[in-house]
Amino acid sequence: AQKVTQAQTEISVVEKEDVTLDCVYETRDTTYYLFWYKQPPSGELVFLIRRNSFDEQNEISGRYSWNFQKSTSSFNFTITASQVVDSAVYFCALMDSNYQLIWGAGTKLIIKP
Amino acid sequence: DAGVIQSPRHEVTEMGQEVTLRCKPISGHNSLFWYRQTMMRGLELLIYFNNNVPIDDSGMPEDRFSAKMPNASFSTLKIQPSEPRDSAVYFCASSKFTPLGQKVTDVFFGPGTRLTVL
C-alpha cells in the first residue's frame, strides 16, 4: 500500500530555532517521487521540492534543507533559523506509479516571535 | 511564467444551483489534476487528465460532479446540483510527465476556489 505518514500534527518553536518536519513513506514502486508543499494561512499550496527515488542527494535551498533516506523511507525537511513567515502547514506527498499524489496529513508549524 | 490560473477565487451559491470552476494549466504541461480540500478529509484527488484525456476519475464523489478538458489550456469542474457538503476549497494543479520515460516534473497548484454552498 502507498502511504505517507507525517507523525507530527503540530510543532511550535520560537523564532530562530531550527525545526525538522518528519515524513515517512511506504511504496512498492521502485520509481517514485516525493514532494513537499507549504500551505500558509492564505491557503495556497506552494511547491517546495520534488525528489526522485533514484536521487538520494540531500538538497539545501537557503534556510531549507531536505534529507532523503531510502533505507528508512524518510524524506525529512529542516528549516534552519526559523522565521515567523515560516508558519504554515507543511505537506509531504508521494507520487506513485499511477502518477497520483498521496498526501500526508500535514504538520502545522507555528513560529513564535 | 504565469502559474496555474483558477477562477473564480470565491464562489457562494445556494443549494441546488450549478457551479462551474475553471482552470488554466501552465503552458506546456500535459497533466492536470483537480483536488478538493476540507478540514475533515484533507486533500482528495477528484480526477486527473493526461493529454486532455481523463485517466482516473475514481475520486469524483458522485454523478453531480463532472470535469472536462476540451483542450490543453482549459479545464472545468462542474457541480450540478450543488449541496452544502460540497463546500470546500477546490484546487487545480498541473504537471508534465512522460509515462514511457517515467519522467515527472514539478506539480504546481493554482490558488484554489473557495466554494460555499448555502
Side-chain angles (χ1 to χ4, degrees):
Chain A
Q2 321 275 36
K3 186 179 177 182
V4 176
T5 301
Q6 293 180 259
Q8 304 148 310
T9 304
E10 184 174 303
I11 301 174
S12 180
V13 300
V14 177
E15 198 172 22
K16 296 183 185 176
E17 287 185 19
D18 299 348
V19 59
T20 295
L21 310 183
D22 298 332
C23 173
V24 175
Y25 62 91
E26 296 176 31
T27 180
R28 292 195 197 115
D29 296 333
T30 54
T31 299
Y32 52 90
Y33 303 84
L34 296 164
F35 296 77
W36 275 96
Y37 287 86
K38 173 182 180 180
Q39 188 169 43
S42 51
E44 68 269 30
L45 279 162
V46 179
F47 168 83
L48 295 178
I49 190 172
R50 168 179 54 88
R51 178 58 78 217
N52 306 335
S53 56
F54 42 85
D55 181 3
E56 275 193 84
Q57 275 195 331
N58 292 327
E59 177 105 2
I60 297 175
S61 176
R63 296 184 297 106
Y64 295 173
S65 62
W66 290 268
N67 183 4
F68 178 27
Q69 298 274 356
K70 285 180 79 169
S71 59
T72 55
S73 297
S74 65
F75 186 41
N76 296 338
F77 172 33
T78 297
I79 302 175
T80 303
S82 60
Q83 299 176 2
V84 172
V85 293
D86 296 326
S87 297
V89 178
Y90 290 85
F91 291 96
C92 179
L94 165 73
M95 179 174 277
D96 65 7
S97 54
N98 293 320
Y99 301 101
Q100 296 184 21
L101 282 170
I102 297 154
W103 296 86
T107 296
K108 183 175 183 180
L109 179 62
I110 300 169
I111 310 295
K112 299 178 182 176
Chain B
D1 275 348
V4 177
I5 298 172
Q6 290 187 248
S7 65
R9 294 292 307 275
H10 301 272
E11 177 82 30
V12 180
T13 190
E14 292 189 347
M15 184 173 64
Q17 295 299 306
E18 178 178 297
V19 174
T20 299
L21 311 181
R22 296 174 177 80
C23 175
K24 177 178 169 56
I26 292 172
S27 177
H29 281 189
N30 63 349
S31 296
L32 183 139
F33 307 82
W34 281 101
Y35 282 90
R36 177 171 68 176
Q37 186 179 35
T38 60
M39 289 294 292
M40 293 296 293
R41 301 172 70 95
L43 278 155
E44 303 174 276
L45 176 66
L46 300 176
I47 186 170
Y48 102 85
F49 295 86
N50 186 36
N51 294 324
N52 312 336
V53 176
I55 302 300
D56 185 351
D57 65 354
S58 59
M60 296 286 264
E62 47 199 271
D63 292 345
R64 297 184 299 108
F65 285 68
S66 63
K68 293 182 181 179
M69 191 164 186
N71 57 62
S73 59
F74 184 64
S75 177
T76 59
L77 177 67
K78 185 178 293 186
I79 308 173
Q80 166 64 18
S82 57
E83 297 183 2
R85 61 191 167 122
D86 301 331
S87 297
V89 179
Y90 290 81
F91 288 103
C92 176
S94 74
S95 179
K96 182 174 182 178
F97 67 76
T98 54
L100 286 177
Q102 292 197 340
K103 292 184 185 297
V104 171
T105 64
D106 306 332
V107 181
F108 292 98
F109 282 74
T113 295
R114 182 173 294 278
L115 173 65
T116 302
V117 183
L118 303 174

Short mmCIF file of all heavy atoms in Angstrom, two decimals, chain A residues 31 33 35 37 39 42-45 47 49-50 52 54 91 95 97-103, chain B residues 33 35 37 43 45 48 56 91 95 97-100 102-111:
data_model
loop_
_atom_site.label_atom_id
_atom_site.label_comp_id
_atom_site.label_asym_id
_atom_site.label_seq_id
_atom_site.Cartn_x
_atom_site.Cartn_y
_atom_site.Cartn_z
N THR A 31 10.31 3.21 -8.76
CA THR A 31 10.42 4.60 -9.21
C THR A 31 9.27 5.40 -8.63
O THR A 31 8.11 5.05 -8.84
CB THR A 31 10.39 4.69 -10.75
OG1 THR A 31 11.49 3.95 -11.29
CG2 THR A 31 10.49 6.14 -11.20
N TYR A 33 8.27 9.54 -6.68
CA TYR A 33 8.67 10.93 -6.47
C TYR A 33 8.12 11.41 -5.14
O TYR A 33 7.00 11.05 -4.75
CB TYR A 33 8.13 11.81 -7.61
CG TYR A 33 8.58 11.34 -8.97
CD1 TYR A 33 7.90 10.33 -9.64
CD2 TYR A 33 9.70 11.90 -9.57
CE1 TYR A 33 8.33 9.88 -10.87
CE2 TYR A 33 10.13 11.46 -10.81
CZ TYR A 33 9.44 10.44 -11.45
OH TYR A 33 9.87 10.00 -12.67
N PHE A 35 7.46 14.86 -2.64
CA PHE A 35 7.25 16.30 -2.72
C PHE A 35 7.03 16.87 -1.31
O PHE A 35 6.55 16.20 -0.41
CB PHE A 35 5.98 16.63 -3.52
CG PHE A 35 6.02 16.23 -4.97
CD1 PHE A 35 5.85 14.92 -5.36
CD2 PHE A 35 6.19 17.21 -5.95
CE1 PHE A 35 5.87 14.55 -6.70
CE2 PHE A 35 6.20 16.86 -7.29
CZ PHE A 35 6.04 15.53 -7.67
N TYR A 37 5.17 20.51 0.17
CA TYR A 37 4.42 21.72 -0.12
C TYR A 37 4.19 22.49 1.17
O TYR A 37 4.07 21.92 2.24
CB TYR A 37 3.04 21.39 -0.73
CG TYR A 37 3.10 20.90 -2.14
CD1 TYR A 37 3.30 19.55 -2.42
CD2 TYR A 37 2.98 21.78 -3.21
CE1 TYR A 37 3.37 19.09 -3.71
CE2 TYR A 37 3.04 21.33 -4.52
CZ TYR A 37 3.23 19.98 -4.76
OH TYR A 37 3.31 19.53 -6.05
N GLN A 39 1.57 25.28 2.92
CA GLN A 39 0.28 25.92 2.83
C GLN A 39 0.18 26.98 3.93
O GLN A 39 -0.14 26.69 5.08
CB GLN A 39 -0.87 24.93 2.94
CG GLN A 39 -2.24 25.56 2.64
CD GLN A 39 -3.35 24.53 2.49
OE1 GLN A 39 -3.44 23.59 3.26
NE2 GLN A 39 -4.20 24.73 1.48
N SER A 42 -2.94 31.86 4.14
CA SER A 42 -3.70 32.38 2.99
C SER A 42 -4.30 31.26 2.14
O SER A 42 -5.19 31.51 1.33
CB SER A 42 -2.81 33.26 2.13
OG SER A 42 -1.61 32.58 1.82
N GLY A 43 -3.81 30.04 2.31
CA GLY A 43 -4.48 28.89 1.72
C GLY A 43 -3.87 28.29 0.46
O GLY A 43 -4.23 27.17 0.09
N GLU A 44 -2.98 28.99 -0.21
CA GLU A 44 -2.44 28.40 -1.43
C GLU A 44 -1.47 27.27 -1.10
O GLU A 44 -0.94 27.20 -0.01
CB GLU A 44 -1.76 29.46 -2.30
CG GLU A 44 -0.48 30.04 -1.72
CD GLU A 44 -0.71 31.27 -0.89
OE1 GLU A 44 -1.80 31.40 -0.28
OE2 GLU A 44 0.21 32.11 -0.84
N LEU A 45 -1.24 26.41 -2.05
CA LEU A 45 -0.29 25.31 -1.89
C LEU A 45 0.96 25.66 -2.67
O LEU A 45 0.95 25.72 -3.90
CB LEU A 45 -0.88 24.00 -2.40
CG LEU A 45 -1.82 23.27 -1.44
CD1 LEU A 45 -2.67 22.26 -2.18
CD2 LEU A 45 -1.04 22.59 -0.33
N PHE A 47 4.65 24.89 -3.91
CA PHE A 47 5.61 23.82 -4.17
C PHE A 47 6.96 24.20 -3.57
O PHE A 47 7.46 25.31 -3.75
CB PHE A 47 5.73 23.62 -5.68
CG PHE A 47 6.88 22.75 -6.09
CD1 PHE A 47 6.75 21.38 -6.07
CD2 PHE A 47 8.08 23.30 -6.48
CE1 PHE A 47 7.82 20.57 -6.45
CE2 PHE A 47 9.15 22.52 -6.86
CZ PHE A 47 9.01 21.15 -6.85
N ILE A 49 9.71 21.34 -3.12
CA ILE A 49 10.74 20.47 -3.67
C ILE A 49 10.12 19.18 -4.21
O ILE A 49 9.07 18.74 -3.75
CB ILE A 49 11.81 20.13 -2.61
CG1 ILE A 49 13.02 19.43 -3.26
CG2 ILE A 49 11.20 19.26 -1.51
CD1 ILE A 49 14.20 19.25 -2.32
N ARG A 50 10.77 18.63 -5.21
CA ARG A 50 10.46 17.29 -5.72
C ARG A 50 11.77 16.50 -5.70
O ARG A 50 12.82 17.02 -6.09
CB ARG A 50 9.94 17.35 -7.15
CG ARG A 50 9.87 15.99 -7.84
CD ARG A 50 9.32 16.11 -9.26
NE ARG A 50 10.05 17.08 -10.06
CZ ARG A 50 11.12 16.80 -10.79
NH1 ARG A 50 11.61 15.57 -10.78
NH2 ARG A 50 11.72 17.74 -11.49
N ASN A 52 13.36 12.63 -6.83
CA ASN A 52 13.14 11.34 -7.49
C ASN A 52 13.74 10.23 -6.65
O ASN A 52 14.77 10.42 -6.00
CB ASN A 52 13.79 11.34 -8.86
CG ASN A 52 13.33 12.50 -9.71
OD1 ASN A 52 12.27 13.04 -9.50
ND2 ASN A 52 14.16 12.92 -10.64
N PHE A 54 15.50 7.80 -7.40
CA PHE A 54 16.85 7.36 -7.75
C PHE A 54 17.90 8.42 -7.44
O PHE A 54 19.06 8.27 -7.79
CB PHE A 54 16.90 6.97 -9.24
CG PHE A 54 16.16 7.90 -10.14
CD1 PHE A 54 16.76 9.05 -10.63
CD2 PHE A 54 14.84 7.65 -10.47
CE1 PHE A 54 16.05 9.93 -11.45
CE2 PHE A 54 14.13 8.51 -11.30
CZ PHE A 54 14.74 9.65 -11.79
N PHE A 91 3.02 19.91 3.92
CA PHE A 91 2.58 18.60 3.47
C PHE A 91 3.71 17.88 2.74
O PHE A 91 4.40 18.46 1.90
CB PHE A 91 1.39 18.72 2.49
CG PHE A 91 0.12 19.18 3.12
CD1 PHE A 91 -0.24 20.52 3.08
CD2 PHE A 91 -0.73 18.29 3.74
CE1 PHE A 91 -1.43 20.96 3.65
CE2 PHE A 91 -1.92 18.72 4.32
CZ PHE A 91 -2.26 20.06 4.27
N MET A 95 4.33 10.57 -5.09
CA MET A 95 3.69 10.31 -6.38
C MET A 95 4.00 8.87 -6.74
O MET A 95 5.17 8.49 -6.85
CB MET A 95 4.19 11.26 -7.46
CG MET A 95 3.54 10.98 -8.82
SD MET A 95 3.97 12.19 -10.07
CE MET A 95 2.79 13.49 -9.70
N SER A 97 3.17 5.08 -9.01
CA SER A 97 3.29 4.67 -10.40
C SER A 97 2.07 5.05 -11.22
O SER A 97 2.10 4.99 -12.45
CB SER A 97 3.52 3.16 -10.49
OG SER A 97 2.52 2.47 -9.80
N ASN A 98 0.98 5.40 -10.56
CA ASN A 98 -0.21 5.89 -11.26
C ASN A 98 -0.19 7.40 -11.41
O ASN A 98 -1.18 7.99 -11.84
CB ASN A 98 -1.48 5.47 -10.50
CG ASN A 98 -1.69 3.98 -10.51
OD1 ASN A 98 -1.46 3.32 -11.51
ND2 ASN A 98 -2.09 3.44 -9.38
N TYR A 99 0.92 8.01 -11.03
CA TYR A 99 1.09 9.46 -11.14
C TYR A 99 0.06 10.22 -10.32
O TYR A 99 -0.36 11.31 -10.72
CB TYR A 99 1.09 9.90 -12.61
CG TYR A 99 2.20 9.22 -13.37
CD1 TYR A 99 1.94 8.14 -14.17
CD2 TYR A 99 3.51 9.66 -13.22
CE1 TYR A 99 2.97 7.51 -14.84
CE2 TYR A 99 4.54 9.02 -13.88
CZ TYR A 99 4.27 7.94 -14.69
OH TYR A 99 5.29 7.31 -15.32
N GLN A 100 -0.33 9.65 -9.20
CA GLN A 100 -1.22 10.36 -8.30
C GLN A 100 -0.45 10.72 -7.04
O GLN A 100 0.38 9.96 -6.58
CB GLN A 100 -2.42 9.49 -7.95
CG GLN A 100 -3.28 9.17 -9.15
CD GLN A 100 -4.52 8.38 -8.78
OE1 GLN A 100 -4.95 8.40 -7.64
NE2 GLN A 100 -5.09 7.70 -9.75
N LEU A 101 -0.75 11.89 -6.50
CA LEU A 101 -0.11 12.34 -5.27
C LEU A 101 -0.84 11.75 -4.06
O LEU A 101 -2.05 11.93 -3.92
CB LEU A 101 -0.11 13.86 -5.18
CG LEU A 101 0.95 14.58 -6.03
CD1 LEU A 101 0.68 16.07 -6.04
CD2 LEU A 101 2.34 14.28 -5.52
N ILE A 102 -0.08 11.07 -3.23
CA ILE A 102 -0.62 10.54 -1.97
C ILE A 102 -0.09 11.44 -0.87
O ILE A 102 1.12 11.59 -0.71
CB ILE A 102 -0.19 9.09 -1.78
CG1 ILE A 102 -0.79 8.24 -2.90
CG2 ILE A 102 -0.64 8.56 -0.42
CD1 ILE A 102 -0.02 7.01 -3.20
N TRP A 103 -1.00 12.03 -0.11
CA TRP A 103 -0.63 13.09 0.81
C TRP A 103 -0.50 12.61 2.24
O TRP A 103 -1.27 11.74 2.69
CB TRP A 103 -1.69 14.19 0.78
CG TRP A 103 -1.80 14.86 -0.55
CD1 TRP A 103 -2.54 14.46 -1.62
CD2 TRP A 103 -1.12 16.06 -0.95
NE1 TRP A 103 -2.38 15.33 -2.67
CE2 TRP A 103 -1.51 16.32 -2.28
CE3 TRP A 103 -0.23 16.93 -0.33
CZ2 TRP A 103 -1.03 17.42 -3.01
CZ3 TRP A 103 0.24 18.02 -1.05
CH2 TRP A 103 -0.17 18.26 -2.36
N PHE B 33 -4.77 18.08 -12.69
CA PHE B 33 -5.41 17.42 -11.55
C PHE B 33 -6.42 18.38 -10.92
O PHE B 33 -6.16 19.57 -10.81
CB PHE B 33 -4.37 17.09 -10.47
CG PHE B 33 -3.17 16.31 -10.96
CD1 PHE B 33 -2.10 16.96 -11.57
CD2 PHE B 33 -3.09 14.94 -10.78
CE1 PHE B 33 -0.98 16.25 -12.01
CE2 PHE B 33 -1.98 14.24 -11.21
CZ PHE B 33 -0.92 14.89 -11.82
N TYR B 35 -8.28 18.74 -7.24
CA TYR B 35 -8.29 18.30 -5.86
C TYR B 35 -9.34 19.08 -5.09
O TYR B 35 -9.68 20.21 -5.42
CB TYR B 35 -6.94 18.55 -5.19
CG TYR B 35 -5.85 17.58 -5.53
CD1 TYR B 35 -5.02 17.80 -6.61
CD2 TYR B 35 -5.64 16.45 -4.75
CE1 TYR B 35 -4.00 16.91 -6.92
CE2 TYR B 35 -4.63 15.55 -5.05
CZ TYR B 35 -3.82 15.79 -6.13
OH TYR B 35 -2.81 14.91 -6.44
N GLN B 37 -10.13 20.13 -0.94
CA GLN B 37 -9.58 20.13 0.42
C GLN B 37 -10.64 20.56 1.42
O GLN B 37 -11.25 21.62 1.28
CB GLN B 37 -8.37 21.06 0.53
CG GLN B 37 -7.68 20.99 1.88
CD GLN B 37 -6.47 21.88 1.98
OE1 GLN B 37 -6.44 22.97 1.42
NE2 GLN B 37 -5.43 21.42 2.68
N LEU B 43 -6.79 16.63 1.63
CA LEU B 43 -6.71 16.80 0.18
C LEU B 43 -7.14 15.51 -0.51
O LEU B 43 -6.57 14.45 -0.27
CB LEU B 43 -5.28 17.15 -0.23
CG LEU B 43 -4.90 18.60 -0.08
CD1 LEU B 43 -3.40 18.75 0.08
CD2 LEU B 43 -5.39 19.42 -1.27
N LEU B 45 -7.95 13.72 -4.30
CA LEU B 45 -7.90 13.82 -5.75
C LEU B 45 -9.27 13.48 -6.31
O LEU B 45 -9.83 12.42 -6.01
CB LEU B 45 -6.86 12.85 -6.31
CG LEU B 45 -6.76 12.77 -7.83
CD1 LEU B 45 -6.26 14.09 -8.41
CD2 LEU B 45 -5.86 11.62 -8.25
N TYR B 48 -7.91 13.19 -12.68
CA TYR B 48 -6.76 13.73 -13.35
C TYR B 48 -6.76 13.37 -14.83
O TYR B 48 -7.25 12.33 -15.23
CB TYR B 48 -5.46 13.38 -12.62
CG TYR B 48 -4.61 12.27 -13.18
CD1 TYR B 48 -3.70 12.53 -14.20
CD2 TYR B 48 -4.66 11.01 -12.63
CE1 TYR B 48 -2.88 11.54 -14.66
CE2 TYR B 48 -3.84 10.00 -13.10
CZ TYR B 48 -2.95 10.27 -14.12
OH TYR B 48 -2.13 9.28 -14.59
N ASP B 56 -8.14 8.99 -14.51
CA ASP B 56 -8.68 8.42 -13.29
C ASP B 56 -9.69 9.39 -12.69
O ASP B 56 -9.31 10.48 -12.28
CB ASP B 56 -7.56 8.13 -12.30
CG ASP B 56 -8.05 7.41 -11.04
OD1 ASP B 56 -9.28 7.28 -10.85
OD2 ASP B 56 -7.20 6.98 -10.25
N PHE B 91 -8.80 22.82 -5.70
CA PHE B 91 -7.52 23.17 -6.32
C PHE B 91 -7.37 22.48 -7.67
O PHE B 91 -7.74 21.32 -7.83
CB PHE B 91 -6.35 22.72 -5.44
CG PHE B 91 -6.16 23.52 -4.18
CD1 PHE B 91 -6.57 23.03 -2.96
CD2 PHE B 91 -5.53 24.76 -4.22
CE1 PHE B 91 -6.39 23.75 -1.80
CE2 PHE B 91 -5.33 25.49 -3.07
CZ PHE B 91 -5.77 24.99 -1.85
N SER B 95 1.15 19.50 -14.26
CA SER B 95 2.50 18.96 -14.28
C SER B 95 2.78 18.48 -15.70
O SER B 95 1.92 18.52 -16.56
CB SER B 95 2.61 17.79 -13.29
OG SER B 95 3.90 17.24 -13.30
N PHE B 97 4.49 15.10 -17.54
CA PHE B 97 5.20 13.85 -17.44
C PHE B 97 5.02 13.00 -18.68
O PHE B 97 4.08 13.16 -19.44
CB PHE B 97 4.85 13.08 -16.17
CG PHE B 97 3.46 12.56 -16.08
CD1 PHE B 97 3.05 11.45 -16.77
CD2 PHE B 97 2.56 13.17 -15.21
CE1 PHE B 97 1.76 10.96 -16.65
CE2 PHE B 97 1.27 12.68 -15.07
CZ PHE B 97 0.87 11.58 -15.79
N THR B 98 6.00 12.13 -18.84
CA THR B 98 6.02 11.22 -19.99
C THR B 98 5.98 9.81 -19.44
O THR B 98 6.97 9.33 -18.91
CB THR B 98 7.29 11.41 -20.82
OG1 THR B 98 8.43 11.28 -19.97
CG2 THR B 98 7.31 12.78 -21.46
N PRO B 99 4.86 9.13 -19.50
CA PRO B 99 4.75 7.80 -18.92
C PRO B 99 5.80 6.81 -19.39
O PRO B 99 6.32 6.06 -18.59
CB PRO B 99 3.35 7.36 -19.35
CG PRO B 99 2.60 8.61 -19.56
CD PRO B 99 3.59 9.60 -20.09
N LEU B 100 6.14 6.86 -20.65
CA LEU B 100 7.09 5.87 -21.15
C LEU B 100 8.45 6.05 -20.49
O LEU B 100 9.10 5.10 -20.13
CB LEU B 100 7.21 5.98 -22.68
CG LEU B 100 6.04 5.43 -23.47
CD1 LEU B 100 6.25 5.64 -24.95
CD2 LEU B 100 5.82 3.96 -23.14
N GLN B 102 8.82 7.73 -17.77
CA GLN B 102 8.57 7.94 -16.36
C GLN B 102 9.32 9.15 -15.83
O GLN B 102 10.01 9.09 -14.80
CB GLN B 102 8.91 6.68 -15.56
CG GLN B 102 7.97 5.54 -15.85
CD GLN B 102 8.04 4.45 -14.81
OE1 GLN B 102 8.99 4.35 -14.08
NE2 GLN B 102 7.00 3.64 -14.75
N LYS B 103 9.21 10.20 -16.55
CA LYS B 103 9.82 11.45 -16.11
C LYS B 103 8.70 12.38 -15.64
O LYS B 103 7.72 12.60 -16.35
CB LYS B 103 10.60 12.11 -17.24
CG LYS B 103 11.84 11.32 -17.65
CD LYS B 103 12.62 12.07 -18.71
CE LYS B 103 13.78 11.26 -19.23
NZ LYS B 103 14.76 10.96 -18.18
N VAL B 104 8.88 12.92 -14.48
CA VAL B 104 7.86 13.78 -13.88
C VAL B 104 8.48 15.12 -13.54
O VAL B 104 9.60 15.18 -13.03
CB VAL B 104 7.30 13.14 -12.61
CG1 VAL B 104 6.41 14.12 -11.85
CG2 VAL B 104 6.52 11.89 -12.94
N THR B 105 7.77 16.16 -13.86
CA THR B 105 8.24 17.47 -13.43
C THR B 105 7.45 17.89 -12.18
O THR B 105 6.62 17.15 -11.68
CB THR B 105 8.03 18.52 -14.53
OG1 THR B 105 6.62 18.66 -14.77
CG2 THR B 105 8.74 18.12 -15.80
N ASP B 106 7.75 19.05 -11.72
CA ASP B 106 7.12 19.54 -10.51
C ASP B 106 5.62 19.72 -10.72
O ASP B 106 5.17 20.01 -11.82
CB ASP B 106 7.77 20.86 -10.11
CG ASP B 106 9.27 20.73 -9.98
OD1 ASP B 106 9.75 19.62 -9.66
OD2 ASP B 106 9.97 21.73 -10.20
N VAL B 107 4.85 19.54 -9.68
CA VAL B 107 3.40 19.70 -9.73
C VAL B 107 3.05 21.03 -9.06
O VAL B 107 3.32 21.22 -7.87
CB VAL B 107 2.68 18.54 -9.01
CG1 VAL B 107 1.16 18.72 -9.09
CG2 VAL B 107 3.09 17.20 -9.60
N PHE B 108 2.49 21.92 -9.84
CA PHE B 108 2.16 23.25 -9.33
C PHE B 108 0.66 23.39 -9.18
O PHE B 108 -0.11 22.97 -10.04
CB PHE B 108 2.69 24.33 -10.28
CG PHE B 108 4.18 24.41 -10.31
CD1 PHE B 108 4.90 23.79 -11.33
CD2 PHE B 108 4.87 25.08 -9.32
CE1 PHE B 108 6.28 23.85 -11.35
CE2 PHE B 108 6.26 25.15 -9.34
CZ PHE B 108 6.96 24.53 -10.35
N PHE B 109 0.29 24.03 -8.09
CA PHE B 109 -1.12 24.22 -7.77
C PHE B 109 -1.56 25.64 -8.05
O PHE B 109 -0.79 26.60 -7.89
CB PHE B 109 -1.39 23.90 -6.30
CG PHE B 109 -1.44 22.44 -6.00
CD1 PHE B 109 -0.28 21.68 -5.98
CD2 PHE B 109 -2.65 21.81 -5.77
CE1 PHE B 109 -0.33 20.32 -5.72
CE2 PHE B 109 -2.71 20.45 -5.51
CZ PHE B 109 -1.55 19.71 -5.49
N GLY B 110 -2.81 25.77 -8.45
CA GLY B 110 -3.43 27.08 -8.55
C GLY B 110 -3.79 27.59 -7.18
O GLY B 110 -3.64 26.88 -6.18
N PRO B 111 -4.30 28.82 -7.11
CA PRO B 111 -4.62 29.43 -5.82
C PRO B 111 -5.85 28.84 -5.15
O PRO B 111 -6.10 29.09 -3.97
CB PRO B 111 -4.84 30.90 -6.18
CG PRO B 111 -5.28 30.86 -7.60
CD PRO B 111 -4.55 29.73 -8.23
#
